[in-house]
Amino acid sequence: MITYPFEYKRASSVAEAVSMLAEGGKALSGGHSLIPSMKLRLNMPDALVDVGRIPELKGISMDGDELVIGAGSTHADIADSQLVKEKLSLFAEGAAHIGDPAVRSRGTIGGSLAHADPSADWPALVLAANATIVVTGPNGERSIPSTDFFTGLFSTALNDDELITKIRVPVSAGSKSTYQKFAQPASRYALVGCAIVKQADGQVSVAFSGVSDAPFRDTDVEKNLNSGQEAGPVGKGQSIMSDNFASEKYRVHLASVYLQRALEAVA
Amino acid sequence: MSNRYIGESIKRREDKRFITGKGRYTDDIVLPGMLHAHFVRSPYAHARVVGIDLEEAKAMPGVIAIYTGDDVAAINGVPCGWQVNFRNGETMREPKHPMLIPTGSTAKHVGDAVAVVIAETKDSAIDAAELVMVEWEELPAVAAPADAILPDAPKVHEQFPDNKAFDWTFGNPIEEVDAAMEKAAHITELEFINQRVVPNAMEPRAYIGSYDETSDKYTLYTSTQNPHLIRLLMCAFVLGIPEHKVRVVGPDVGGGFGSKIYHYTEEALVTWASKQIGQPVKWTSDRSEAFLTDAHGRDHATKAEMGFDADGNIVGLRIKTVANMGAYLSTFAPAVPTYLHGTLLQGLYTTPKINIDMTCVFTHTVAVDAYRGAGRPEATYLLERLMDLAALEMGRDPAELRFQNFIPPFDGVEQPGYQTQVALQYDSGNYEAVLKRGLEMLGYENFRAEQAEAAKTNKILGVGFSTYVEACGIAPSAVVGALGARAGLFESAQVRVQPTGKVSVFTGSHSHGQGHETTFVQVVADKLGIPMDDVDLVHGDSDTIAFGMGTYGSRSLAVGGSAIVKSIDKILEKGAKIAAHKLECAEGDLEYAEGKWTVKGTDKSIGFGDVALTAYVPHVYPAGLEPGLDFSSFYDPANFTYPFGCHIAVVEVDKETGKVTLKRMIAVDDVGNVINPMIVDGQIHGGLAQGIGQALFEGTIYDENGQLTNGSYMDYCMPRADDLPMFETDRQVTPCPHNPLGVKGAGEAGAIGSTPAVVNAVIDALWSAGHKPKDILMPLTSERVWEAMN
Amino acid sequence: MQVEINVNGKARKAEVEDRTLLVYFLRDTLQLTGTHVGCDTSSCGACTVHLDGVAVKSCTLLAAQADGCSVTTIEGMAKDGEMHPLQEGFRECHGLQCGYCTPGMIMTAADLLKRTPKPSETEIRFALEGNICRCTGYHNIVKAIQWAAENTAAPMLADSHLWTNDVVVEKVVETE
């Protein structure tokens, strides 16, 4: 297995990465979504811009009421972070469910979000947490609300010449959150991943990975729950996936079960 | 003879190289000037090659040669090693499997090769292969065996319009079975699919062909389970080159499980190409390619009925099965659903009337052949699913129903072997004992109480039983010859005592994880009464080993080990002559123990090393005796061996999701005498995991176009560490009465008994909660189990 | 492009294609064939090595990404002729049969023990989620790792570097 030939470039700063991306190619962070797809020759960029060593992309810190996670943070960085565990346990819990230890040590939150696999775990997590994806491009920085970020199957609002630099996540005292995942037994991606954040006032935000061909916030379910009713059907209006491991019917059923389990976990 | 090593868990001698990264698998070997091959394969299950354009590919940097079907048309196809004719006497249909599909012909499964690119590096071969432009005409395809015999099914081979390779019937005449079933008070009927699984040895297949012009000699390095068999098939049937001009080496091999028994087209092609080009050629399979080209296992669609009288005694068994051969007949394929399956349908029961009706069909899929257990797992699955289901249907306890129907104990010495209705004569068995022990380990009575409690919750519990008998140590050549084998199934061994008394043992068995370098040496060291350090085992090279039939069918120790013992007997016999001469006594006055010959009742003795030295420095030596101490033997077993056992699974089922969690896996196996308990346990563990894999996780999924939709580890699920519990194993020992070591074979037992135990456990769990499915299609995915409850 | 990677304590400099994966740099360029390739999808873990002391799948990493880093392979686990406790454990507990997955298993287990010196059975099984063995049913692999955890002297555990053998860089070796 070998990728098509490409040119490897290493960026040492965000500015340099952005100027390299302007010439074409794709950003390479941990590479754990991109390299496998390139080996299977499903993806064939002319160039890879390695952003794996850019110091600005690392680090996890608080900025006011927001947790700020550098896009180059690995899943393991986030799963192991005391700060994340304290302020947003959802992210630590969710990150610990991704792949296997070796994948978690290399794969990054930014890379996973940019790849936008509908069965990846991060999409549901950032959606439920109301995170903002901060990106830098030739025209400077812009912030994309997570609800606007995922635009379809493997597609996002990120432009080819932009780089995800950080993820800003509001955290509030007294909130509870959980990520409940039913893993596809071979790949360990989410057949259903349900992330819930419940504010101190009881209002919930609910998001799913693995269910639809794009990750989504289930606004119908949220509306029902937030007005004191039963959750109602999951994934209304979504294009539900069906594959070897779960038919559409079973997936919707699993999503409902996992929603209930998530609600119990934050009760 | 001493008893220092046999029966001891000696740590493996081969481990040092593997744990330090010094194992030497075929892909690790680099020969000077070595080139790399990459195959262009059919993306369709059935498609005609209309034309091939090589121009762009040939222009790629590093490309040395590209061959298509037209270039290799003179090479024969890979042969089939077993012939099973139609019941009406018509000869088995044996379509040619060409090396590469020529223009105008059709590819018959996804992955069928049409061209091979040979280049300086693997990467350049891959890059160029992508530029080989094949014009395809896609044709309709059929993948499932039951679909292949439908009247309007797409034809795999034009000349065989009904898609049948052969059909076959076995056991008692069907009229007798029908009559028995008519009198039955209860008939348990089950229609099921024993699904197709992929062996998935962790080392993908790899071959290096190398030709030396000066000696006109070829060397093939191959990840195989039987180097000599590959040499024989490739030389005599495929390439038509003299056997003495080919050396086949099977170096370290990363697992086989059956898939590396067979002779594959790629082996012959790299060997052939190395002469054409004059440089060594290596091919290493990618995992995706392995899914499409390694022989798969199982794939039966079956309807089975078991009849019982009013007391619960089995009165008859009637079976109709369609088995998938794939597109071509692989080396042992015809034997698997027939003589390795039909002959095991007696199980451990006294069933008086048995008939099986088998149809073996071609489909547009890669070949199906022996996979760990080969036929016996399918037979055991059939019988043991029927037994547990019959118990549920009749309101009987599944363990009790088995005790009632078991063949009573027989040791094959005092009591005769057991003659089955399906040709075999079991050597020895004590079936009650293994089930009793299994029930003890389970704590059966407590379990049922626990289960009743769990039935009230969302996490229900089930227990599944499976008791099996299997046939190993294949096999008596005359018997298998009468059944259609085109080869003998003996084994050879040479024991060479060096002048200093050190011993080299050459075996035709091949180790690819079984630990022969340790167990075989334990046997030799004990038989000769010398330290293990004085003995080394050589295997896997046709130039150093006289002959070999290889390792499969749990045969290595029973057949290969017995051949070694025969050679040792000859060594000791000759050694005694030398010793008697040196000690100036009669041979009959000597006894051999602890590495020396002693004159009985005296302290006069001579050591093994001194005798060895004398044999090579024969100054004072018996008249007429040849110098040297080196004997070869061939051992052809008198019978198969018949290991048996009891496997019990306990599962928890999540009622909301259908997810099955395996809580306990109990295995009590009787594999005859045990040379190295640690290694036997390891073999059982691995078999269990594969059997559990088939029950819960594994299985190919073909779409309506014959495309394999789960041909990668992202989609084809095999058990991981977190899917399995610690196994609870125990053993009984009923020695094999007919081989010198009393061993039966342990390699496949785990995979044979475990699958039905796990499925039975899930069915039992569901029945405990009021759902009454007769069957759930394997693998028991969460969705399928959930469907069975909804 | 040229990369310089400290492999098992030796600085190795070589010309590679931009697309060269670390596993092929190790196997083909350096002839360190203890690191294996068992799949194409980053699933099986046979290619696991340590990169700067952390277990990674070398089939999913460019050699270029490892430029300037330190890599430990199975060949670097034994030190001065002394086996690593995990190597001993695998032998002691029959944690291997065909040996193909073994190097990856050992490298993954080394990473686990570095983080969790006394892991539970469950922790071990979850840590092996990305490593497939087809021979052992994992039973004896779990035992081998438990053995290593139990049979490692306290000072060795305190020295977190031991587990990856991040040793001093020797002289640069150029490889064609």
Side-chain angles (χ1 to χ4, degrees), chain B residues 739-752:
Chain B
N739 68 42
L741 292 167
V743 297
K744 292 192 168 186
E748 295 160 294
I752 290 169

Side-chain angles (χ1 to χ4, degrees), chain C residues 82-148:
Chain C
E82 287 263 320
M83 292 280 178
H84 187 279
L86 276 161
Q87 291 173 311
E88 287 291 352
F90 271 70
R91 197 176 111 84
E92 199 60 36
C93 300
H94 190 29
L96 66 151
Q97 290 179 27
C98 83
Y100 199 77
C101 76
T102 312
M105 287 286 176
I106 289 176
M107 300 314 286
T108 298
D111 188 277
L112 168 70
L113 293 186
K114 194 168 162 181
R115 296 165 198 244
T116 313
K118 299 283 174 199
S120 66
E121 183 201 327
T122 308
E123 284 173 318
I124 293 171
R125 289 185 180 274
F126 277 101
L128 299 179
E129 199 181 2
N131 290 72
I132 299 176
C133 170
R134 198 59 165 158
C135 292
T136 64
Y138 305 100
H139 183 105
N140 285 343
I141 293 180
V142 171
K143 289 195 154 181
I145 297 170
Q146 288 170 332
W147 188 97

Side-chain angles (χ1 to χ4, degrees), chain A residues 207-222:
Chain A
F208 288 96
S209 279
V211 177
S212 164
D213 59 12
F216 65 99
R217 275 276 288 270
D218 200 323
T219 47
D220 289 317
V221 164
E222 288 177 358

Side-chain angles (χ1 to χ4, degrees), chain A residues 9-216:
Chain A
K9 306 173 184 179
R10 189 182 300 145
S12 52
S13 67
V14 170
E16 191 184 9
V18 168
S19 74
M20 284 173 169
L21 283 173
E23 295 160 16
K26 278 179 100 73
L28 172 70
S29 183
H32 273 53
S33 305
L34 187 55
I35 292 177
S37 75
M38 289 173 66
K39 280 165 65 184
L40 297 171
R41 301 199 159 190
L42 303 171
N43 215 326
M44 48 192 91
D46 296 332
L48 287 184
V49 176
D50 187 352
V51 299
R53 299 189 191 190
I54 300 177
E56 302 151 72
L57 297 179
K58 300 282 182 195
I60 301 171
S61 58
M62 285 299 292
D63 180 10
D65 287 341
E66 285 187 323
L67 184 69
V68 182
I69 301 174
S73 305
T74 65
H75 313 313
D77 289 340
I78 298 168
D80 297 342
S81 159
Q82 276 312 320
L83 189 62
V84 176
K85 283 182 191 168
E86 222 171 89
K87 300 289 182 185
L88 192 70
S89 59
L90 170 71
F91 270 35
E93 188 189 350
H97 274 95
I98 299 170
D100 57 59
V103 169
R104 290 196 287 276
S105 292
R106 286 296 302 174
T108 66
I109 183 170
S112 173
L113 291 173
H115 190 65
D117 189 315
S119 301
D121 300 296
W122 279 122
L125 299 167
V126 296
L127 282 167
N130 255 318
T132 300
I133 319 296
V134 181
V135 308
T136 302
N139 303 321
E141 192 170 277
R142 68 181 178 119
S143 292
I144 311 171
S146 51
T147 43
D148 296 340
F149 186 77
F150 303 102
T151 54
L153 186 69
F154 292 104
S155 64
T156 68
L158 186 72
N159 294 324
D160 288 348
D161 55 3
E162 288 178 322
L163 181 70
I164 302 176
T165 53
K166 44 187 172 266
I167 292 85
R168 305 185 72 97
V169 204
V171 293
S172 56
S175 69
K176 288 182 178 174
S177 59
T178 189
Y179 182 61
Q180 299 288 324
K181 173 178 176 178
F182 189 95
Q184 196 258 52
S187 70
R188 307 289 169 110
Y189 273 74
L191 268 188
V192 165
C194 176
I196 288 192
V197 177
K198 184 182 186 181
Q199 302 301 335
D201 63 3
Q203 295 287 298
V204 294
S205 49
V206 178
F208 288 96
S209 279
V211 177
S212 164
D213 59 12
F216 65 99

Side-chain angles (χ1 to χ4, degrees), chain B residues 94-373:
Chain B
E94 250 177 293
K96 178 177 173 178
H97 186 185
M99 294 288 111
L100 299 166
I101 307 298
T103 310
S105 294
T106 54
K108 299 187 191 308
H109 65 85
V110 176
D112 222 354
V114 286
V116 60
V117 176
I118 295 165
E120 283 169 358
T121 65
K122 177 154 181 157
D123 297 352
S124 46
I126 293 172
D127 290 342
E130 217 173 74
L131 297 175
V132 171
M133 296 301 162
V134 183
E135 188 186 338
W136 294 102
E137 178 197 348
E138 194 182 354
L139 300 165
V142 61
D147 294 344
I149 50 169
L150 298 176
D152 55 351
K155 298 183 210 28
V156 182
H157 302 280
E158 281 302 320
Q159 68 274 34
F160 311 132
D162 59 4
N163 284 332
K164 287 182 186 169
F166 59 91
D167 57 26
W168 183 79
T169 189
F170 205 61
N172 307 101
I174 186 67
E175 299 76 19
E176 291 179 18
V177 177
D178 288 345
M181 297 296 270
E182 254 171 57
K183 289 192 213 127
H186 176 84
I187 293 181
T188 290
E189 188 188 312
L190 191 61
E191 278 192 62
F192 62 88
I193 290 176
N194 197 304
Q195 85 277 26
R196 175 190 275 248
V197 292
V198 184
N200 272 313
M202 290 313 297
E203 179 211 14
R205 287 190 291 124
Y207 309 126
I208 306 170
S210 175
Y211 177 72
D212 174 42
E213 202 186 1
T214 58
S215 57
D216 186 29
K217 195 163 174 182
Y218 300 83
T219 303
L220 170 67
Y221 295 90
T222 166
S223 51
T224 187
Q225 300 177 219
N226 34 222
H228 290 83
L229 197 58
I230 299 303
R231 186 180 64 168
L232 174 64
L233 294 172
M234 187 171 76
C235 292
F237 297 96
V238 183
L239 296 180
I241 46 182
E243 211 174 340
H244 67 294
K245 289 295 186 187
V246 177
R247 174 186 177 204
V248 175
V249 182
D252 285 330
V253 173
F257 316 115
S259 68
K260 292 172 183 168
I261 299 172
Y262 325 116
H263 180 35
Y264 288 91
T265 52
E266 295 92 350
E267 281 172 315
L269 254 173
V270 297
T271 306
W272 173 83
S274 70
K275 180 175 180 181
Q276 307 302 308
I277 300 169
Q279 283 172 268
V281 178
K282 179 194 270 185
W283 173 74
T284 301
S285 175
D286 289 329
R287 181 58 60 188
S288 324
E289 216 173 0
F291 269 100
L292 300 176
T293 61
D294 289 2
H296 293 174
R298 320 278 190 255
D299 211 354
H300 289 192
T302 295
K303 182 183 172 189
E305 297 159 281
M306 190 178 261
F308 295 85
D309 67 15
D311 298 327
N313 299 306
I314 305 171
V315 296
L317 178 65
R318 186 164 56 196
I319 298 150
K320 226 174 151 61
T321 289
V322 183
N324 199 346
M325 298 279 98
Y328 308 101
L329 293 181
S330 172
T331 310
F332 282 157
V336 178
T338 54
Y339 295 105
L340 295 175
H341 171 249
T343 52
L344 269 301
L345 289 165
Q346 185 81 48
L348 320 81
Y349 310 113
T350 54
T351 313
K353 297 290 173 194
I354 300 168
N355 180 273
I356 176 165
D357 174 308
M358 174 69 72
T359 307
C360 293
V361 300
F362 295 115
T363 61
H364 292 104
T365 59
V366 72
V368 179
D369 207 327
Y371 164 60
R372 202 169 196 166

Side-chain angles (χ1 to χ4, degrees), chain B residues 429-581:
Chain B
N430 184 353
Y431 308 139
E432 299 162 3
V434 286
L435 179 54
K436 273 189 193 139
R437 178 69 189 122
L439 293 174
E440 264 171 41
M441 289 165 74
L442 170 67
Y444 193 26
E445 268 138 49
N446 294 341
F447 175 81
R448 288 296 182 195
E450 213 185 312
Q451 180 181 35
E453 278 307 303
K456 300 172 194 157
T457 72
N458 267 334
K459 299 276 173 87
I460 55 178
L461 291 175
V463 64
F465 298 94
S466 162
T467 48
Y468 72 89
V469 59
E470 57 141 337
C472 293
I474 56 174
S477 297
V479 174
V480 293
L483 303 181
R486 291 166 171 171
L489 284 168
F490 53 84
E491 194 49 274
S492 92
Q494 181 181 9
V495 177
R496 177 182 299 162
V497 183
Q498 319 284 1
T500 52
K502 310 299 178 193
V503 178
S504 300
V505 181
F506 301 84
T507 174
S509 299
H510 184 277
S511 185
H512 31 280
Q514 294 86 345
H516 296 172
E517 289 168 44
T518 307
T519 45
F520 284 19
V521 171
Q522 285 178 256
V523 170
V524 173
D526 262 3
K527 293 280 176 196
L528 293 176
I530 59 177
M532 280 181 71
D533 282 349
D534 287 359
V535 185
D536 256 351
L537 186 80
V538 182
H539 67 95
D541 186 338
S542 70
D543 262 13
T544 46
I545 292 136
F547 199 73
M549 288 308 298
T551 289
Y552 41 82
S554 308
R555 70 192 301 274
S556 294
L557 197 56
V559 189
S562 297
I564 292 174
V565 173
K566 273 186 82 174
S567 287
I568 290 173
D569 289 345
K570 294 176 190 172
I571 297 275
L572 291 177
E573 202 184 309
K574 183 172 181 181
K577 287 190 170 68
I578 300 168
H581 187 81

